[in-house]
Amino acid sequence: MQRTELKAFLRTRRDALTPEAAGLPRGPRRLTPGLRREEVAALAQVGVTWYTWLEQGRAINVSAAALARIARALSLSPTDEAYLFALMGLTRTDVPEQHFNLPPVMHEVLQLYQAPAFVLDTVFNVLAWNRMAECLYDFGDFGGPFADNHLWNAFMNPARRQLYPDFENGALNLLGIFRMNQAAHPEDPRFLQLIEALNAASPEFVELWQRCHTAPLSAITVPFFHPEFGDLSIHSMRLPIRDSDHVDRATAFFFAPANAATAASFARVARRLAAKPATQSA
């Protein structure tokens, strides 16, 4: 079934790519709607016979590097490329880091939200936040090579650790989402870089990571403590942010009060922030 799907997938993508889009002349005698097999082979720097056999679903040896060149030759989207590699049972090892630009409207949504809210990319680097989240987390107040990483700060930043009265359950939830993100983006080397750094720096991370916990991207209620906010009970909503290819590239975290005391604390801090001009734009 995979070979049948591979044949249909490659043929469909080849037919959909016009010579002009691939930088090739159409010529007066072209009978195919898209590229010819020999044109794909030339663009991908593989043999015509080898590519023909691949498109026919024959049992041939295929390297990740060759498959990556074919994906580029066919102008596959990241989702299509991931699907092609999955059909072949291969893992990308030479993919450059994905750079995701957060939609500008997301910054407006964060600033309009009247409670802490922030956005993390798939490896948990902080992309944006509002003033309430800045008051709660003190983003940018910690140094080092992973200073902007939410997971690194949870384990290694003493001030951040004090926010979590129930650190183990909160950390396990973060690790569970992080593990799911890593499985969805095996080509991104930043996951292993962060895991190796935390393994070397935090025995507590090692113990919790080895539990192989997974967690869905769903709302949870968690306790917090902050010197200014006080004791908090927070509903944490997590919403995926996808790119144009419908691939999850970031997660928005929106906090809502879970009791009256937390609602009063949020309102008090919001009034204080409203009384002074913003000094930082997320």
Side-chain angles (χ1 to χ4, degrees):
M1 290 181 63
Q2 282 183 299
R3 291 184 182 181
T4 299
E5 176 60 22
L6 177 67
K7 291 164 57 177
F9 181 73
L10 288 175
R11 178 62 184 269
T12 299
R13 292 298 183 269
R14 179 167 61 83
D15 288 347
L17 185 62
T18 65
E20 293 83 357
L24 299 173
R26 174 168 291 277
R29 301 180 61 184
R30 181 175 296 272
L31 301 178
T32 59
L35 296 186
R36 303 184 180 100
R37 284 174 175 166
E38 57 267 27
E39 290 172 329
V40 175
L43 289 170
Q45 299 177 330
V46 298
V48 177
T49 301
W50 183 90
Y51 177 76
T52 300
W53 288 351
L54 176 69
E55 193 175 289
Q56 290 174 345
R58 297 196 190 188
I60 58 175
N61 292 325
V62 181
S63 68
L67 205 60
R69 294 198 301 272
I70 290 167
R72 287 193 293 271
L74 292 173
S75 298
L76 297 187
S77 70
T79 305
D80 282 348
E81 187 171 351
Y83 183 61
L84 176 61
F85 271 76
L87 286 175
M88 295 301 300
L90 294 174
T91 300
R92 287 297 308 260
T93 58
D94 61 336
V95 179
E97 181 180 316
Q98 291 281 350
H99 293 282
F100 173 66
N101 293 319
L102 195 66
V105 68
M106 193 67 229
H107 294 277
E108 298 179 27
V109 171
L110 291 177
Q111 298 312 320
L112 289 171
Y113 191 67
Q114 296 299 302
F118 56 98
V119 178
L120 306 180
D121 69 7
T122 54
V123 78
F124 280 13
N125 288 328
V126 184
L127 299 181
W129 60 87
N130 65 7
R131 296 176 74 192
M132 288 278 282
E134 169 63 20
C135 286
L136 186 64
Y137 283 107
D138 287 327
F139 291 122
D141 196 41
F142 192 58
F146 299 100
D148 295 329
N149 188 270
H150 196 63
L151 192 61
W152 176 268
N153 274 272
F155 282 93
M156 303 305 300
N157 184 344
R160 191 71 62 84
R161 286 290 301 265
Q162 293 178 5
L163 294 175
Y164 310 112
D166 186 6
F167 178 78
E168 182 173 308
N169 283 331
L172 276 174
N173 185 262
L174 283 178
L175 289 174
I177 298 172
F178 181 83
R179 187 183 292 275
M180 298 290 287
N181 287 351
Q182 183 189 23
H185 299 276
E187 77 286 351
D188 193 333
R190 296 177 300 165
F191 286 97
L192 287 179
Q193 292 167 3
L194 179 59
I195 291 168
E196 289 174 356
L198 282 168
N199 274 329
S202 172
E204 190 172 24
F205 169 83
V206 174
E207 194 276 322
L208 294 178
W209 182 250
Q210 288 177 348
R211 296 188 193 182
C212 297
H213 182 71
T214 62
L217 200 63
S218 57
I220 63 171
T221 302
V222 292
F224 272 75
F225 173 77
H226 186 273
E228 180 178 3
F229 285 87
D231 289 307
L232 304 173
S233 181
I234 292 174
H235 292 308
S236 176
M237 289 289 300
R238 295 84 177 271
L239 305 174
I241 300 175
R242 300 185 170 98
D243 62 15
S244 59
D245 294 300
H246 305 289
V247 177
D248 288 357
R249 295 297 181 192
T251 302
F253 287 68
F254 290 93
F255 288 176
N259 58 28
T262 301
S265 175
F266 283 178
R268 174 173 48 78
V269 175
R271 287 194 298 270
R272 179 180 67 79
L273 291 175
K276 68 176 185 177
T279 59
Q280 176 176 344
S281 176

